Amino acid sequence: MAGSNGSKKAKATDHRRAIIDAALGHAVENDWSTISLDEIAILADVSLVELRRHFAAPHEILVALARQVDADVLAVAGDDLADETVRDALFDLLMQRFDGLEPYKPGLKRILNEARTKPHLILPVMPQLARSMTAMLEAAGQPAQEVRQGPRVAGLSLIWLSVMRVWLEDDSADQAKTMAALDKALGQA
């Protein structure tokens, strides 16, 4: 029985990733505001029933992407950050988040450009940004009690959003512009 449960979880994870990949791939050429779950199901090669097991709306796919990237970053962060300052650890963690989002950059760029005139597309994702930045602060060594007081999460969220604009335009292989913007923003904070 345990083997079949593990198999179901792996299959669900595969479906979630296929759905995320299909949706963000579709967003490269299409407006996010017009995307339907039916289209995403077809592109991801899953049934609409299976897609709806995971996502009730397109914005939930963006939330899942953020959670997936957070989990990937936190899985490799570990003890490597123990000897770093909080600032250096945050730099490393946030750059790893950008690395994790790299395959989705074209779709995210299109979605975020569209959200400038249709903020309702991205507003449901904002609570996840706060959760993501909370996780990054805690992984960087900030005491959880201090992090949950709010201002640090809000500040790091603003840093993330400002640097993300640079990252979306940074086509260099080494992400030099992104690293410089992040270093500067963390230094000013």
Side-chain angles (χ1 to χ4, degrees):
M1 283 310 237
S4 68
N5 190 26
S7 171
K8 285 181 183 178
K9 284 184 180 181
K11 195 171 192 174
T13 300
D14 290 346
H15 284 161
R16 288 176 68 81
R17 287 194 186 249
I19 293 164
I20 291 167
D21 291 350
L24 273 288
H26 186 67
V28 174
E29 300 291 330
N30 301 279
D31 287 345
W32 189 251
S33 60
T34 62
I35 198 167
S36 73
L37 294 180
D38 291 341
E39 289 174 288
I40 297 169
I42 292 166
L43 293 167
D45 196 25
V46 299
S47 70
L48 185 57
V49 171
E50 181 63 28
L51 186 140
R52 287 188 176 274
R53 276 192 188 118
H54 303 287
F55 307 108
H59 75 268
E60 291 180 6
I61 295 169
L62 299 176
V63 170
L65 173 60
R67 288 181 179 162
Q68 171 188 305
V69 170
D70 290 345
D72 292 347
V73 167
L74 295 173
V76 298
D79 296 331
D80 293 344
L81 302 175
D83 296 331
E84 292 187 13
T85 65
V86 170
R87 181 180 184 273
D88 289 345
L90 283 172
F91 180 88
D92 290 344
L93 289 164
L94 295 180
M95 285 307 300
Q96 287 175 38
R97 283 190 98 243
F98 284 124
D99 290 343
L101 289 170
E102 188 67 31
Y104 305 102
K105 186 188 258 187
L108 289 170
K109 185 175 183 177
R110 173 95 184 227
I111 292 166
L112 292 173
N113 282 337
E114 186 180 358
R116 288 181 182 169
T117 58
K118 299 173 185 171
H120 65 278
L121 297 176
I122 204 74
L123 288 176
V125 182
M126 298 313 285
Q128 179 57 44
L129 176 62
R131 288 189 291 271
S132 293
M133 294 303 109
T134 298
M136 297 303 113
L137 282 162
E138 289 174 351
Q142 284 289 293
Q145 183 179 4
E146 290 178 23
V147 170
R148 293 202 174 95
Q149 291 173 355
R152 291 175 191 212
V153 173
L156 191 58
S157 296
L158 290 174
I159 288 170
W160 174 260
L161 292 171
S162 70
V163 176
M164 187 173 215
R165 287 196 295 205
V166 174
W167 173 74
L168 288 169
E169 301 301 325
D170 189 353
D171 294 328
S172 63
D174 63 357
Q175 297 189 45
K177 292 176 187 174
T178 303
M179 288 192 294
L182 180 57
D183 188 55
K184 181 179 178 182
L186 288 171
Q188 290 172 342

